[in-house]
Amino acid sequence: MNKAVFFDMDGTLYKTELILGDALNQTLNKLDTLNIRYVEQPMNKYKKIMGVPMTEVWNQLLVTRSEEDIKSANGLLQEHLITNINDGKGELYQGVEEVLSHIKEQRYNIYIISNGEKAYLDAICEHHNLEGLVDGVYSINLINTSDKSDLVKKVIEEESVKAHYMVGDRASDFKAGKDNNIEIIGCRFYFSNDEELKEADYTVDSFRTIKQIIN
């Protein structure tokens, strides 16, 4: 059975903050024209809930929460996020390629496990040439629940791997690790929360520090 390391994407591998503000503002401007109402200071709200599935994001950000409104808002945001990715406005955290290469040298499989949309995740991997380092990209949309723990379990079963580490920055990552008996590496980066990070077995302030743990 191959051993594996699971990574979250937003705020862990990718500096989502570099593209999120612009994409969200463009989306909200369009929602104004559609008379779809949203909460005050939506970016601040989004930062607090970063890491939850997109349906939950829009349940929190929209005042009107019809299925049609959520679908419209999310479609617009995904479109703008992917455009910003392809325009080179975002970037990986410093050392990501180096650390992933190191992990591969240690004979681990690498999987991205995210609450993000599949097209969005694929756009990041393609633009930043991660395909050769990553063995699989799994979105929460692949399962019927919104629980990342279930997604991690699905990957373990489908890929027939022994997961050794779950690397992430938010509570959903840490819960997914604990529920599946995986050691947790918490990243104290842009979207992280110090209270949530207490659940991690290890905490890093630099992505390159992960090399010292997975060795």
Side-chain angles (χ1 to χ4, degrees), residues 22-190:
D22 178 62
L24 185 58
N25 285 334
Q26 289 178 292
T27 299
L28 297 177
N29 288 338
K30 181 62 177 178
L31 294 184
D32 286 336
T33 69
L34 298 173
N35 294 317
I36 297 176
R37 297 171 57 211
Y38 47 86
V39 300
E40 294 184 4
Q41 298 183 318
M43 185 60 193
N44 289 341
K45 182 71 172 180
Y46 201 159
K47 285 174 63 177
K48 291 179 181 178
I49 62 174
M50 189 70 183
V52 304
M54 292 308 304
T55 299
E56 179 60 25
V57 167
W58 292 112
N59 275 327
Q60 295 281 336
L61 295 189
L62 295 184
V63 174
T64 55
R65 302 187 183 98
S66 71
E67 184 175 340
E68 183 178 349
D69 287 348
I70 290 174
K71 184 177 179 180
S72 296
N74 193 50
L76 288 166
L77 180 61
Q78 297 306 312
E79 177 184 336
H80 293 310
L81 285 171
I82 291 172
T83 296
N84 286 348
I85 292 166
N86 292 334
D87 287 345
K89 294 181 179 180
E91 62 185 58
L92 301 173
Y93 279 95
Q94 191 171 21
V96 165
E97 298 99 323
E98 174 188 333
V99 172
L100 296 187
S101 295
H102 167 80
I103 292 171
K104 296 295 287 186
E105 290 171 0
Q106 306 302 310
R107 299 185 181 279
Y108 286 92
N109 286 4
I110 295 173
Y111 299 95
I112 293 173
I113 314 289
S114 174
N115 284 332
E117 305 277 334
K118 185 65 162 60
Y120 164 76
L121 301 172
D122 288 342
I124 294 174
C125 290
E126 181 176 353
H127 186 81
H128 293 281
N129 301 310
L130 294 180
E131 294 98 330
L133 294 172
V134 174
D135 295 280
V137 178
Y138 284 81
S139 164
I140 197 70
N141 294 339
L142 295 174
I143 59 176
N144 294 325
T145 75
S146 59
D147 191 337
K148 187 178 272 192
S149 298
D150 294 335
L151 182 58
V152 166
K153 181 180 179 181
K154 175 183 176 69
V155 177
I156 291 171
E157 292 174 350
E158 285 194 356
E159 300 288 349
S160 297
V161 294
K162 168 63 177 175
H164 285 246
Y165 299 98
M166 178 75 209
V167 186
D169 68 321
R170 296 305 304 259
S172 61
D173 305 311
F174 309 150
K175 178 179 182 299
K178 284 186 177 296
D179 287 349
N180 289 280
N181 298 310
I182 307 170
E183 285 197 285
I184 302 163
I185 300 175
C187 297
R188 186 178 282 112
F189 299 161
Y190 186 81

